[in-house]
């Protein structure tokens, strides 16, 4: 079920092939993936050389010229979408949101458009779920279905950006979204597990499934730069089946439920740099589908570089999973800070590295590398890698976690420094933690079912550990 031919057949059924993700992605074959250089950080310049933000013609499409009114009360959905359509149709350029507060329903991005939210501008989203209809194809916590569109949505487009030093405000705490809870999640999970055709997985009205803030599906050449993203209904920035993604100098405030920051989902060649996260959940997350639905599609997230970011949040700084059934490989994080004193968050990070999976997932995680991470006051285990997420699951699809390295980490405060917990049937393999110091740690390490773990020049509470 993991061959390219099979994945192409699966995606064709929901319209994800033509001009999209599977053409020219550069994914290595399984045989090629096994050949690793001695220092895997040598891959980083090669990855970054492949990530090139899009550029746009010098044409301005001011939404006020299409009738938009920035009074915070007038609903401007048609004006904004008409400006985007004109911009794309005439060869691309910048759709300008000028100073003011512009209320809107769902926005559909198109090829060649830079949606620019200027200084002093706020793009504020409606609290009426009907403003995010008709239903569109989404990936909802790892399972494909038809649901409300994201507040800003794109499907099979390319060369797009969301930029500017203004604010994009989901206003979710003031809408119905917090009361929706888990919605129809169990029903959707069963559909994914049973292989119900995607076109029959109809969520939307009555199902209480929150929309993402920004979700681009099967798109290429994306830039998110300088904007302040706040108050999403759930995950904030969620590229799915995308390639060539840059997230630069973005500030995310997502302290409501399901408040992830950036979720890179079956997405390759992504660069997250100089960004700040204040979240209710994970900060930068690597995902690739859930359980049978994720294995059926089988597209990994790969070739990711995260650097010079600041993380505050309820769960992980760098997180892998739990929806990772399609696999994750070649992810690098360097020069980042956890719970920075000059960037206090609503919640302290629980784990600097958080890899979570279970035997419902399957999939392979191969190559997670952290370097020069500093921080303080981590609430739980600093390095938490576990196959027992949500009780370990009840299936027989044992995941693999291989090739995890940590170098130059300095964290003051945490319950444990190291927690690596594999299954007896599927050990964690090839872990190196080097040149790192952990202080104010209150409990001993946990290392179970983990093979070939090397601790080199590691100190915990001032004592060398090997």
């Amino acid at each position: 079920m993991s061959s390219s031919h099979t994945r192409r057949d699966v995606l064709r059924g929901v319209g994800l092939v033509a001009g999209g993700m599977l053409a020219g992605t550069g994914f290595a074959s399984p045989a090629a993936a096994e050949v690793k250089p001695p220092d895997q950080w040598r891959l980083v310049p090669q990855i970054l050389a492949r990530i090139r933000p899009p550029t746009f013609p010098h044409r301005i499409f001011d939404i006020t010229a299409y009738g938009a009114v920035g009074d915070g009360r007038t609903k401007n959905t048609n004006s904004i979408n008409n400006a985007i359509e004109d911009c794309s149709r005439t060869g691309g350029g910048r759709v300008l949101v000028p100073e003011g507060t512009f209320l809107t329903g769902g926005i559909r991005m198109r090829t060649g458009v830079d949606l620019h939210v200027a200084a002093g501008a706020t793009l504020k989203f409606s609290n009426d779920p009907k403003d995010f209809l008709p239903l569109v194809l989404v990936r909802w916590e790892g399972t494909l279905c038809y649901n409300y569109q994201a507040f800003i949505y794109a499907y099979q487009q390319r060369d797009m950006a969301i930029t500017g030093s203004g604010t994009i405000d989901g206003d979710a705490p003031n809408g119905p979204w917090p009361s929706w809870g888990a919605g129809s999640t169990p029903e959707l999970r069963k559909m994914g597990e049973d292989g119900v055709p995607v076109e029959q997985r109809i969520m939307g009205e009555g199902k209480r499934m929150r929309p993402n803030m920004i979700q681009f599906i099967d798109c290429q050449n994306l830039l998110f730069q300088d904007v302040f993203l706040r108050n999403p209904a759930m995950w904030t920035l969620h590229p799915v089946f995308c390639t060539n993604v840059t997230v630069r100098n973005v500030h995310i405030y997502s302290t409501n439920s399901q408040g992830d920051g950036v979720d890179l989902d079956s997405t390759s060649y992504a660069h997250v740099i100089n960004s700040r996260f204040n979240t209710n959940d994970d900060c930068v997350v690597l995902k690739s589908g859930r359980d049978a639905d994720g294995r059926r599609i089988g597209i990994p997230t790969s070739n990711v570089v995260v650097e010079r970011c600041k993380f505050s949040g309820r769960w992980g700084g760098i997180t892998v999973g739990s929806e990772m059934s399609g696999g994750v490989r070649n992810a690098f994080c360097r020069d980042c800070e956890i719970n920075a004193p000059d960037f206090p968050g609503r919640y302290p990070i629980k784990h600097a590295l958080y890899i979570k999976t279970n035997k419902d997932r399957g999939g392979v995680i191969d190559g997670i590398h952290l370097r020069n991470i500093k921080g303080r006051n981590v609430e739980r285990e600093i390095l938490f890698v576990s196959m027992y997420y949500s009780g370990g699951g009840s299936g027989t699809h044992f995941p693999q976690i291989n090739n995890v390295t940590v170098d130059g980490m300095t964290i003051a405060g945490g319950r444990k420094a190291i927690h690596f917990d594999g299954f007896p049937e599927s050990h964690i393999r090839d872990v190196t933690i080097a040149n790192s110091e952990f202080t104010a740690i209150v409990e001993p390490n946990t290392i179970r079912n983990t093979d070939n773990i090397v601790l080199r020049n590691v100190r915990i509470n001032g004592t060398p550990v090997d």
Side-chain angles (χ1 to χ4, degrees):
M1 290 298 288
S2 61
S3 71
S4 296
H5 176 74
T6 301
R7 290 198 301 270
R8 184 174 292 273
D9 289 343
V10 168
L11 294 180
R12 182 177 289 111
V14 292
L16 284 174
V17 173
M21 176 70 190
L22 295 182
T25 61
F27 286 140
S29 67
E34 293 172 2
V35 180
K36 302 180 179 71
D39 177 6
Q40 292 174 78
W41 283 89
R42 295 178 186 175
L43 291 174
V44 169
Q46 301 172 39
I47 293 169
L48 293 179
R50 291 277 302 270
I51 301 170
R52 296 173 181 259
T55 58
F56 302 90
H58 296 289
R59 289 194 289 263
I60 304 295
F61 298 77
D62 189 322
I63 63 171
T64 60
Y66 291 79
V69 178
D71 60 4
R73 299 183 304 274
T74 303
K75 202 169 287 186
N76 297 289
T77 311
N78 290 337
S79 298
I80 295 169
N81 282 312
N82 287 342
I84 289 171
E85 290 283 354
D86 274 4
C87 178
S88 180
R89 186 174 56 251
T90 56
R94 171 170 285 181
V95 171
L96 175 64
V97 182
E99 187 174 350
T101 297
F102 294 87
L103 181 65
T104 183
I107 292 173
R108 292 292 294 267
M109 285 289 286
R110 301 294 184 188
T111 290
V113 174
D114 170 14
L115 179 63
H116 186 83
V117 186
T122 296
L123 198 58
K124 185 175 181 179
F125 284 91
S126 165
N127 294 146
D128 185 352
K130 290 185 172 60
D131 286 332
F132 304 97
L133 296 173
L135 304 184
V136 296
L137 178 70
V138 305
R139 196 181 225 182
W140 203 93
E141 286 194 343
T143 305
L144 288 172
C145 66
Y146 284 84
N147 194 35
Y148 296 104
Q149 76 153 72
F151 294 173
I152 303 177
Y153 177 82
Y155 175 66
Q156 288 194 341
Q157 306 293 302
R158 60 185 301 135
D159 302 316
M160 295 178 293
I162 299 175
T163 64
S165 55
T167 298
I168 298 178
D169 187 355
D171 197 35
N174 294 316
W177 321 110
S179 69
W180 284 16
S184 296
T185 300
E187 178 184 349
L188 178 59
R189 296 281 180 253
K190 188 173 189 308
M191 288 178 175
E193 198 65 23
D194 293 346
V196 172
V198 174
E199 59 271 19
Q200 296 177 22
R201 304 177 195 173
I202 305 300
M203 298 291 113
E205 292 185 276
K207 301 295 185 178
R208 300 167 66 88
M209 307 286 282
R210 300 174 178 129
N212 288 176
M213 182 175 230
I214 301 170
Q215 186 180 69
F216 288 2
I217 294 185
D218 197 23
C219 296
Q220 300 177 40
N221 310 333
L222 309 177
L223 172 65
F224 305 92
Q225 180 171 292
D226 297 333
V227 289
F228 178 26
L229 306 175
R230 67 190 307 267
N231 296 328
M234 61 173 291
W235 299 354
T236 310
L237 178 52
H238 186 198
V240 184
F241 309 130
C242 292
T243 188
N244 189 21
V245 178
T246 300
V247 180
R248 179 188 296 145
N249 195 36
V250 170
H251 179 189
I252 292 177
Y253 178 87
S254 55
T255 61
N256 46 300
S257 182
Q258 293 180 297
D260 283 1
V262 173
D263 292 84
L264 302 171
D265 195 346
S266 294
T267 286
S268 65
Y269 292 98
H271 189 200
V272 182
I273 181 170
N274 289 337
S275 294
R276 295 171 295 164
F277 298 83
N278 183 350
T279 72
N280 181 58
D281 213 311
D282 300 311
C283 294
V284 175
V285 199
L286 311 181
K287 296 179 179 290
S288 58
R290 182 179 179 122
D291 302 347
D293 206 54
R295 294 190 299 271
R296 177 178 64 91
I297 294 171
I299 297 176
T301 284
S302 66
N303 300 319
V304 174
V305 178
V306 180
E307 55 185 338
R308 301 201 297 275
C309 293
K310 293 187 177 183
F311 301 130
S312 297
R314 178 167 279 180
W315 288 100
I318 293 294
T319 296
V320 182
S322 70
E323 303 89 354
M324 45 61 62
S325 300
V328 175
R329 61 173 179 262
N330 295 340
F332 299 85
C333 176
R334 63 186 177 188
D335 304 322
C336 292
E337 190 167 4
I338 306 292
N339 300 327
D342 63 343
F343 184 63
R346 182 173 178 180
Y347 304 105
I349 289 287
K350 285 184 171 64
H351 313 292
L353 173 65
Y354 186 19
I355 300 179
K356 48 181 175 174
T357 185
N358 61 36
K359 58 187 176 182
D360 295 329
R361 300 290 187 267
V364 178
I365 297 168
D366 191 350
I368 309 297
H369 307 289
L370 277 62
R371 174 179 283 179
N372 298 335
I373 309 298
K374 65 179 181 178
R376 63 185 190 132
N377 301 336
V378 173
E379 194 170 69
R380 295 188 185 177
E381 301 84 354
I382 295 169
L383 302 174
F384 185 92
V385 180
S386 177
M387 296 182 180
Y388 288 91
Y389 178 74
S390 191
S394 58
T396 58
H397 301 278
F398 294 97
Q400 298 179 42
I401 302 175
N402 308 320
N403 190 18
V404 178
T405 68
V406 176
D407 185 21
M409 177 173 280
T410 305
I411 304 283
R415 180 188 296 175
K416 296 182 182 181
I418 300 167
H419 180 102
F420 280 75
D421 200 3
F423 285 129
E425 302 89 341
S426 180
H427 288 197
I428 300 166
R429 301 183 187 279
D430 301 324
V431 177
T432 299
I433 304 170
N435 307 312
S436 296
E437 183 158 6
F438 308 96
T439 55
I441 303 301
V442 298
E443 295 182 13
N445 295 331
T446 297
I447 301 175
R448 288 190 291 253
N449 296 319
T450 301
D451 299 339
N452 193 22
I453 181 167
V454 176
L455 305 180
R456 184 173 62 246
N457 191 25
V458 174
R459 299 173 69 88
I460 299 177
N461 295 337
T463 302
V465 178
D466 55 21

